[in-house]
Amino acid sequence: MDHVPPASQHDDRLTPTRMMIRDYVTITKPGIIGGNVISVLGGYFLAAQGQFDFLVFASALLGLALVIASGCAFNNVIDQDIDALMERTRNRPLVQGRVSAAATLVFATILGLAGFGLLALGTNALTVGLAAFGFVVYVGIYSLYMKRHSEYGTLVGSLSGAVPPVVGYCAVSGSFDAGALTLLIIFSLWQMPHSYAIAIFRMEDYRAAKIPVLPVVRGIGTAKHHIIGYILAFLGAALSLSLAGYAGPGYLIVTSVLGIYWLYIAAKGYRTEDNVRWARQVFGISILTITAMSVMMSLDATLMPGVPLWTSMY
């Protein structure tokens, strides 16, 4: 497992103000925000098809980033008891007492109000509603209940993780059409093998915190079957985005190559004796795949707007 050094090893090098800023930034989980921003870009440019409206773009991007930051801050408050039991989270600011739960709740509320306000001012009611749906699922349903009580928490949480590209898409389109539905399915399916891989290489953390993820409840062997199944379903859904004309051949090629490679790495799990190393590989390829996909759907929709793949063949 990755070792996170105690906060005291770093505090001497930072002023109190910088320490406080660092802690509040940490509470928002910037890594999660960064990954989701990339998927927002993919959804936006996929719907924009070469057009660009700076107000809509900036409002969707910054507004959703603030909403996600708010959700992550609320999650820090909800999870502080189980975070104290897990090696990778036991040094978080709330667990260590460097930031209070009350201050975090105020901070999270301000971030949420600012985020939803930006979305309301610069996009449309559907986009605000989708962001609210993702927020409620993540904070209210997943964090407060499902994560602690059901192996299906991952499945429920995948819905919130799939919202960002749909927000980017609907900020432009103003309607929840087949393209938006396809994005929701693609990113929901992607979340599952990605999350199960994390659960495998963080198995001891999840056991210590009594979080009932599938690999803990049903075993790693069953989780491997699920990983393969979800990757196959993800690959089919992802390729359909190009076949339906929403993204071009560049996206199709990159998605096919990386998706098949991800499947190949996942299948190697049946022969490995080092499940932790294998799960980290599955996790790494999942990040590479979804990032490249998001970039390519942006590029293809911008450079080759509105041309269905089967049309371009004739």
Side-chain angles (χ1 to χ4, degrees):
M1 294 183 183
D2 294 335
H3 176 67
V4 180
S8 60
Q9 292 184 16
H10 300 290
D11 291 353
D12 292 341
R13 295 179 291 178
L14 298 174
T15 65
T17 300
R18 289 184 177 180
M19 286 169 53
M20 181 181 67
I21 292 172
R22 182 200 62 184
D23 283 338
Y24 274 96
V25 170
T26 300
I27 287 169
T28 66
K29 302 182 182 180
I32 290 178
I33 295 173
N36 281 295
V37 161
I38 294 174
S39 68
V40 175
L41 292 175
Y44 175 90
F45 286 110
L46 189 71
Q49 294 291 306
Q51 304 299 312
F52 185 78
D53 184 318
F54 178 77
L55 177 61
V56 173
F57 174 79
S59 298
L61 200 66
L62 182 56
L64 191 66
L66 289 170
V67 170
I68 293 169
S70 173
C72 289
F74 277 115
N75 176 264
N76 268 263
V77 176
I78 295 167
D79 280 358
Q80 58 184 315
D81 59 330
I82 57 178
D83 282 347
L85 302 174
M86 300 171 71
E87 183 179 345
R88 72 180 178 90
T89 57
R90 64 181 53 163
N91 290 300
R92 284 178 174 172
L94 270 76
V95 177
Q96 294 295 315
R98 300 193 302 272
V99 180
S100 70
T104 303
L105 288 173
V106 172
F107 179 54
T109 301
I110 292 171
L111 289 172
L113 291 174
F116 282 113
L118 273 175
L119 289 171
L121 288 172
T123 61
N124 52 65
L126 175 61
T127 302
V128 176
L130 285 167
F133 168 76
F135 183 88
V136 169
V137 169
Y138 179 65
V139 176
I141 301 176
Y142 173 72
S143 296
L144 280 173
Y145 184 79
M146 294 295 291
K147 180 177 181 178
R148 297 167 182 259
H149 296 93
S150 174
E151 67 183 83
Y152 300 107
T154 306
L155 186 61
V156 171
S158 73
L159 289 174
S160 63
V163 163
V166 184
V167 163
Y169 184 95
C170 290
V172 177
S173 68
S175 64
F176 190 87
D177 58 14
L181 178 60
T182 303
L183 284 176
L184 185 68
I185 293 171
I186 290 170
F187 280 77
S188 292
L189 291 171
W190 172 83
Q191 295 274 340
M192 301 304 291
H194 169 82
S195 299
Y196 287 154
I198 295 173
I200 290 172
F201 70 76
R202 295 290 189 187
M203 178 81 79
E204 295 309 314
D205 269 355
Y206 284 103
R207 281 177 174 159
K210 295 182 171 59
I211 300 174
V213 288
L214 182 101
V216 171
V217 174
R218 299 199 193 183
I220 292 177
T222 299
K224 288 178 179 180
H225 299 330
H226 282 249
I227 286 173
I228 291 291
Y230 277 114
I231 292 177
L232 283 170
F234 159 81
L235 190 55
L239 295 180
S240 73
L241 195 66
S242 217
L243 297 175
Y246 290 98
Y251 166 89
L252 180 68
I253 293 169
V254 169
T255 300
S256 298
V257 171
L258 288 176
I260 292 171
Y261 181 61
W262 191 19
L263 183 63
Y264 165 73
I265 294 297
K268 289 178 68 177
Y270 290 115
R271 302 188 304 273
T272 187
E273 296 181 358
D274 188 344
N275 286 316
V276 170
R277 182 172 181 273
W278 165 78
R280 288 185 183 277
Q281 290 178 329
V282 173
F283 167 79
I285 297 300
S286 74
I287 296 293
L288 176 62
T289 300
I290 207 67
T291 301
M293 273 183 53
S294 297
V295 171
M296 288 308 301
M297 71 173 65
S298 299
L299 291 177
D300 268 7
T302 301
L303 299 177
M304 298 182 64
V307 182
L309 182 62
W310 58 80
T311 303
S312 65
M313 294 178 178
Y314 297 97

